[in-house]
Amino acid sequence: MTIQWFPGHMAKARRQVTEKLKLIDIVYELVDARIPQSSRNPMIDEIIVNKPRIVLLNKVDKADPRVTQQWLDYYKEQGIYALAIDAQAGKGMKQIVSSSKELLQEKFDRMRAKGVKKPRAIRAMIVGIPNVGKSTLINRLASKKIAKTGDRPGVTQAQQWIKVGNELELLDTPGILWPKFEDETVGYKLATTGAIKDTILNMQDVAVYALRFLSSHYPEQLKQRYDLNEIPEDIVELFDAIGARRGCLMGGGMVDYDKTAELVLREIRTDKIGTFTFDNPNEAEQQL
Ligand code: G4P
């Protein structure tokens, strides 16, 4: 479910995350590996302040492996723990636990030094914008199906801890944060990957963005999928070529641009054209 975020929602969501932070040792910041920058909440650093954090690049199966590696290198350079995971297939789950232990080693050593003989389990929570895979990850780590709580920022629930082996406890409700809508390109990237609802932005505009991006970054995959010898520079010609080849036509044989836009976006989201990453670490505008 994608919700519309209003200032009141944002304030409430932030308050709820801040409340939960008191209960935990570590934050798992879940982002979409296809758009690690655009799918993170711009205020996350301010919100989690000094809590240890691991950035989890989820849906890595849908991202460009070469750029995923660049992102991992980038985080490493910044001194930030980051892991590439596929919550749907359960890949990377063990590393989440081992990295958490590594990151909290000092804190738990200090507890031991103060005489705590058997330190408690590490307490963690997942935060992220809607659709990045928070529920999927919770279910994976819990190894059982937990009911989806929905992305309503106003909803408060009793907290419960999910045991992940003996060493980790996870809050059963994730912290839901808002994406940064005001930036047009970020909006297009979120829409291209399906993170925001199709009704929020004009589908043709989103498809124009996506096709331009693929034309410049992944031309071979685009040519192959739509059987193009060359990619026309003119975006209307590109729509015409794809629409005609795929039979997205109106009466009279004219290409239907809405249908073509829908088709292209559906095929990008279902990885029919290839696996892509739309954010580049070299262009990461914000300090992490
Ligand atoms: P949220 O709680 O953060 O809102 O996200 P949620 O877990 O509901 O996941 C959103 C969508 O992303 C779901 O697909 C889910 O299956 C998919 N997903 C989550 N993690 C991964 C991953 O690592 N790889 C891939 N390929 N997909 C992932 P959906 O189509 O919305 O629904 P459904 O598949 O559950 O029917």
Short mmCIF file of all heavy atoms in Angstrom, two decimals, residues 51 89 99 116 148 181 185 196 199 218-219 232 254 274 282:
data_model
loop_
_atom_site.label_atom_id
_atom_site.label_comp_id
_atom_site.label_asym_id
_atom_site.label_seq_id
_atom_site.Cartn_x
_atom_site.Cartn_y
_atom_site.Cartn_z
N LYS A 51 22.41 6.07 16.79
CA LYS A 51 22.24 4.61 16.88
C LYS A 51 23.08 3.92 15.82
O LYS A 51 23.12 4.38 14.68
CB LYS A 51 20.77 4.23 16.61
CG LYS A 51 19.85 4.45 17.77
CD LYS A 51 19.94 3.34 18.82
CE LYS A 51 19.22 3.83 20.05
NZ LYS A 51 19.32 2.98 21.20
N ALA A 89 14.13 -14.16 -1.26
CA ALA A 89 14.76 -15.48 -1.34
C ALA A 89 15.50 -15.84 -0.05
O ALA A 89 15.97 -16.96 0.09
CB ALA A 89 15.72 -15.50 -2.53
N SER A 99 26.89 -9.25 11.23
CA SER A 99 27.33 -7.85 11.20
C SER A 99 26.83 -7.09 12.42
O SER A 99 27.52 -6.21 12.95
CB SER A 99 26.81 -7.15 9.94
OG SER A 99 27.35 -7.74 8.81
N VAL A 116 27.81 -7.69 33.79
CA VAL A 116 26.65 -8.40 33.23
C VAL A 116 27.17 -9.71 32.66
O VAL A 116 27.94 -9.72 31.70
CB VAL A 116 25.96 -7.57 32.12
CG1 VAL A 116 24.75 -8.30 31.55
CG2 VAL A 116 25.56 -6.20 32.66
N LYS A 148 0.88 -8.59 7.89
CA LYS A 148 1.35 -7.28 7.45
C LYS A 148 0.53 -6.20 8.16
O LYS A 148 -0.69 -6.28 8.25
CB LYS A 148 1.20 -7.16 5.94
CG LYS A 148 1.84 -5.90 5.40
CD LYS A 148 1.92 -5.93 3.88
CE LYS A 148 2.14 -4.54 3.36
NZ LYS A 148 3.46 -4.16 3.08
N PHE A 181 9.55 13.20 -1.90
CA PHE A 181 8.76 13.38 -3.12
C PHE A 181 9.06 14.65 -3.89
O PHE A 181 8.81 14.73 -5.07
CB PHE A 181 7.27 13.44 -2.77
CG PHE A 181 6.63 12.10 -2.68
CD1 PHE A 181 6.06 11.67 -1.50
CD2 PHE A 181 6.60 11.28 -3.78
CE1 PHE A 181 5.47 10.43 -1.41
CE2 PHE A 181 6.01 10.03 -3.72
CZ PHE A 181 5.44 9.61 -2.52
N THR A 185 13.13 13.93 -10.06
CA THR A 185 13.84 12.72 -10.51
C THR A 185 13.66 11.59 -9.50
O THR A 185 13.46 10.44 -9.88
CB THR A 185 15.35 13.01 -10.69
OG1 THR A 185 15.46 14.25 -11.38
CG2 THR A 185 16.03 11.93 -11.46
N ILE A 196 6.15 3.89 -5.64
CA ILE A 196 4.98 4.75 -5.43
C ILE A 196 3.91 4.44 -6.47
O ILE A 196 4.21 4.00 -7.57
CB ILE A 196 5.32 6.27 -5.39
CG1 ILE A 196 6.01 6.73 -6.65
CG2 ILE A 196 6.15 6.60 -4.17
CD1 ILE A 196 6.26 8.24 -6.69
N THR A 199 -0.83 6.25 -9.77
CA THR A 199 -1.74 7.38 -9.93
C THR A 199 -1.11 8.70 -9.50
O THR A 199 -1.61 9.76 -9.81
CB THR A 199 -3.01 7.16 -9.08
OG1 THR A 199 -2.59 6.73 -7.80
CG2 THR A 199 -3.92 6.13 -9.70
N TYR A 218 21.71 1.62 -20.33
CA TYR A 218 21.59 0.20 -20.66
C TYR A 218 21.05 0.02 -22.09
O TYR A 218 20.04 -0.66 -22.30
CB TYR A 218 20.64 -0.50 -19.66
CG TYR A 218 21.12 -0.45 -18.23
CD1 TYR A 218 20.62 0.49 -17.32
CD2 TYR A 218 22.07 -1.37 -17.76
CE1 TYR A 218 21.06 0.54 -16.00
CE2 TYR A 218 22.51 -1.34 -16.44
CZ TYR A 218 22.00 -0.38 -15.57
OH TYR A 218 22.44 -0.36 -14.26
N PRO A 219 21.70 0.63 -23.10
CA PRO A 219 21.13 0.62 -24.45
C PRO A 219 21.00 -0.78 -25.05
O PRO A 219 20.00 -1.07 -25.74
CB PRO A 219 22.11 1.48 -25.26
CG PRO A 219 23.36 1.51 -24.46
CD PRO A 219 22.96 1.39 -23.03
N PRO A 232 16.21 5.40 -31.32
CA PRO A 232 15.98 6.75 -31.83
C PRO A 232 16.27 7.79 -30.76
O PRO A 232 15.96 7.58 -29.59
CB PRO A 232 14.49 6.77 -32.18
CG PRO A 232 14.02 5.36 -32.13
CD PRO A 232 14.99 4.59 -31.31
N MET A 254 -2.63 4.18 -34.90
CA MET A 254 -1.68 5.09 -34.22
C MET A 254 -1.20 4.43 -32.92
O MET A 254 -1.97 3.72 -32.27
CB MET A 254 -2.38 6.40 -33.85
CG MET A 254 -2.94 7.18 -35.03
SD MET A 254 -1.67 8.18 -35.76
CE MET A 254 -1.53 9.46 -34.53
N GLY A 274 15.90 -6.37 -18.13
CA GLY A 274 17.19 -6.61 -17.49
C GLY A 274 17.10 -6.22 -16.03
O GLY A 274 16.01 -5.91 -15.53
N ASN A 282 28.29 7.74 -7.38
CA ASN A 282 29.09 8.94 -7.67
C ASN A 282 28.24 10.20 -7.66
O ASN A 282 28.75 11.30 -7.57
CB ASN A 282 29.76 8.82 -9.04
CG ASN A 282 30.63 7.60 -9.10
OD1 ASN A 282 31.25 7.25 -8.12
ND2 ASN A 282 30.65 6.94 -10.25
#
